[in-house]
Amino acid sequence: MFDNFKRFFAIAGLSTLLAACQIIPHGDTGPATTPVPETKPSESTLPQDESRHRVALLVPLSGNNAGVGQSIANATTMALLDTNAGNLRITTYDTAKGAKSAADRAITDGNRLILGPLLADNVPAVLAAAAPADIPLISFSNDASVASSDVFVMGHIPEQSVTRTVDYAMSQGSKRFAVLTPRGEYGRRAAKALEEAVAARGGQMVATQSYDRGNSLIISAAKKLTAQGGFDTVLIADGARLSAIGASALKEAGDTLPHILGTELWSGEASIANAEALRGAWFSAVPDARYRRFVDSYESRFGQQPYRIATLGYDSVLLTLRVAREWQPGQAFPTSRLMARDGFIGLDGVFRFGRDGVGERAMEVRQIGNGTVSVVAPAPERFTN
């Protein structure tokens, strides 16, 4: 059954991934001939498919986020071809030209499921069109605040990365925490997640400092944090470059060296391994092993590297195929199947949705070494509760 999958991936382990998704491909067992998702729908309402489920992909294909949207669209194409998914028809709609109009057109065209949108700001407009038609959204956003019984948030949620890292840090002896965050929504979310995770596990929040992003500004904030003192562990909620600068300032100013924690922003940043000030630091992210294989395959097909978020496009197709086993063509999408407690597995590891629509990810903990990044606590391979 999985000969077609192995033909593309030719990589150890991916047939296991697809088997774990319980995908049952439809159509013949010869070379995959599924057409790529249409970049625009037909001028009039598309005909109903008797044997294929109509699914809309809503992503930006123009404007500032066009590259990200196209990368996600390319990944959905790969997933269709790799699984020989003859039971799905995916049509892509450009949200950059208006999220509401894209959703209206998708619904008029007969789609019964929406993959997207990418941006949390677009969710209300898309939902306004989709909810009356009983069409759920599987959004690529990482903003849990837009999740609901009709909106399933599939993105990698930063708060979950922070919580996973705090769990590990406390198992290694961390007790008193401080946080260094950039001003803005991401910084606020990271700080709140740290405070909640520490309180829930019996630790202590000692100090907080925020800063406007910049080399000198993070150094100043780090020195103020050190002056407050009393902590043994500091979360720096920024990218690799500024985190390394902040960590260096913390270690230069203090009498004792605090343990440094990072967020999922460090994942995929090659420079992190050579940042001396971050040696020994911990951060959490979704497993990367399958992503590296995905990148190789993506490059061979499209001649460029994908955006990291492109895996969500691929995994959304795997997810749809899993649920499609109990989805009759022309009928409403069986939304309740998205909340299976055993979850789903994709390129980014296992995940599942809660009844609140928020996607829960299994994450691994990594440690920065001397030119290396190693996994010190693997991601769970399944959910046990």
Side-chain angles (χ1 to χ4, degrees):
M1 179 181 295
F2 294 108
D3 288 345
N4 290 324
F5 303 158
K6 294 175 183 176
R7 172 183 55 79
F8 163 57
F9 275 98
I11 308 167
L14 206 67
S15 59
T16 302
L17 160 65
L18 294 171
C21 284
Q22 302 181 42
I23 293 172
I24 301 177
H26 292 248
D28 61 42
T29 57
T33 57
T34 305
V36 300
E38 304 168 31
T39 55
K40 61 173 69 174
S42 59
E43 292 301 321
S44 58
T45 301
L46 293 174
Q48 290 293 326
D49 290 298
E50 295 183 359
S51 60
R52 291 190 293 179
H53 300 293
R54 291 203 48 77
V55 177
L57 176 65
L58 268 63
V59 290
L61 296 176
S62 57
N64 294 335
N65 295 307
V68 181
Q70 188 61 59
S71 192
I72 292 173
N74 289 345
T76 62
T77 298
M78 288 174 59
L80 289 173
L81 295 172
D82 297 342
T83 57
N84 195 24
N87 61 336
L88 294 184
R89 178 173 181 170
I90 297 181
T91 306
T92 306
Y93 301 79
D94 185 5
T95 54
K97 297 180 179 179
K100 177 64 162 58
S101 61
D104 285 338
R105 198 168 183 186
I107 293 166
T108 299
D109 284 343
N111 294 283
R112 302 301 300 166
L113 172 67
I114 291 176
L115 304 180
L118 170 64
L119 303 178
D121 289 348
N122 287 339
V123 168
V126 174
L127 185 60
D134 195 25
I135 297 174
L137 280 57
I138 300 178
S139 173
F140 303 124
S141 168
N142 66 357
D143 187 346
S145 70
V146 301
S148 69
S149 59
D150 298 314
V151 181
F152 296 83
V153 173
M154 195 173 180
H156 305 164
I157 297 173
E159 290 86 343
Q160 293 178 10
S161 169
V162 172
T163 299
R164 174 73 163 121
T165 308
V166 168
D167 278 339
Y168 183 78
M170 294 191 74
S171 76
Q172 300 301 303
S174 293
K175 296 179 180 179
R176 299 180 303 279
F177 292 78
V179 62
L180 195 57
T181 63
R183 290 192 174 91
E185 182 62 21
Y186 184 86
R188 286 192 293 271
R189 289 174 62 181
K192 182 180 178 182
L194 179 67
E195 291 169 4
E196 292 178 349
V198 169
R201 290 153 183 80
Q204 183 181 0
M205 276 297 301
V206 175
T208 300
Q209 278 292 329
S210 59
Y211 56 91
D212 293 315
R213 300 186 80 245
N215 295 5
S216 62
L217 297 174
I218 192 172
I219 291 172
S220 176
K223 290 180 178 178
K224 291 178 182 178
L225 195 67
T226 301
Q228 291 178 258
F231 51 82
D232 54 41
T233 305
V234 180
L235 171 70
I236 306 178
D238 214 318
R241 188 184 66 83
L242 283 178
S243 291
I245 293 172
S248 180
L250 286 169
K251 293 181 176 182
E252 288 175 0
D255 295 328
T256 59
L257 302 182
H259 207 97
I260 303 298
L261 309 182
T263 72
E264 86 295 338
L265 291 179
W266 292 3
S267 179
E269 291 203 35
S271 63
I272 204 80
N274 298 313
E276 184 175 354
L278 296 178
R279 288 180 189 172
W282 298 314
F283 71 101
S284 301
V286 295
D288 251 357
R290 295 185 181 115
Y291 175 69
R292 298 186 189 103
R293 303 167 191 167
F294 167 76
V295 169
D296 291 341
S297 300
Y298 187 103
E299 288 181 323
S300 71
R301 292 194 176 198
F302 302 105
Q304 58 187 357
Q305 285 202 342
Y307 283 81
R308 181 62 181 84
I309 197 175
T311 53
L312 299 183
Y314 195 104
D315 286 355
S316 69
V317 174
L318 298 186
L319 170 65
T320 303
L321 284 169
R322 162 83 179 269
V323 176
R325 294 183 305 147
E326 301 176 43
W327 183 17
Q328 297 301 314
Q331 300 299 311
F333 182 81
T335 305
S336 63
R337 300 299 179 186
L338 291 176
M339 292 172 281
R341 295 307 297 158
D342 59 339
F344 307 90
I345 187 169
L347 296 176
D348 292 330
V350 295
F351 65 99
R352 64 183 176 186
F353 296 106
R355 294 195 173 278
D356 58 1
V358 176
E360 177 186 354
R361 295 275 175 180
M363 295 190 176
E364 64 186 19
V365 182
R366 303 176 197 165
Q367 180 171 293
I368 310 301
N370 184 9
T372 63
V373 178
S374 59
V375 176
V376 292
E381 295 183 354
R382 62 181 61 85
F383 293 106
T384 57
N385 54 45

